[in-house]
Amino acid sequence: MKRLALAALIGAGLMGCAAEPVQLQHNRSYILEWIGERPLMDYSHLTITLGDDGRAYGNGGCNHWFAPYTLEGHRLSFGKIGSTRKLCAPALMEQETRFLQALEKVERWDISPIEQMRFWPAQGKPLRWWLEEG
């Protein structure tokens, strides 16, 4: 009888956890892991923060970037993206350009089965993010 009660208690606890969906968080930084079909170059650090004021910003690997965004449920889109104008190594600049172009095409977001944030374009593979620790 004790085993049955314990199993029921554990099951109820797990159902409670499963019922709470992971949400996209404002004013928290996410770190990019993949741009579409390609992982990031080693040691590059691309980030995004979605401010609760409707402005997104982050680091593109070389330059800081910023843009307005609209978030309605699982629909997500970015307005015109601006950035600083530093010059870095050609490979890093190419990656930053791919990232900013991919960000402009985002239409929706979701959470993967491994709780990774994904920003999806109309066609193709997503931008994949992890919540920055700390």
Side-chain angles (χ1 to χ4, degrees), residues 7-82:
L9 184 59
I10 290 171
L14 290 175
M15 283 178 50
C17 293
E20 297 178 24
V22 176
Q23 292 295 317
L24 186 57
Q25 297 181 32
H26 290 92
N27 301 317
R28 292 285 309 270
S29 291
Y30 290 86
I31 299 172
L32 188 65
E33 181 182 44
W34 284 77
I35 302 171
E37 297 184 12
R38 292 170 59 186
L40 296 189
M41 294 171 22
D42 289 344
Y43 305 108
S44 58
H45 187 80
L46 284 70
T47 64
I48 189 170
T49 300
L50 300 174
D52 55 12
D53 60 356
R55 288 184 272 183
Y57 57 91
N59 189 305
C62 179
N63 291 284
H64 293 283
W65 67 271
F66 45 89
Y69 75 94
T70 302
L71 177 63
E72 296 172 356
H74 281 270
R75 295 184 53 84
L76 174 65
S77 61
F78 294 89
K80 183 164 176 53
I81 298 173

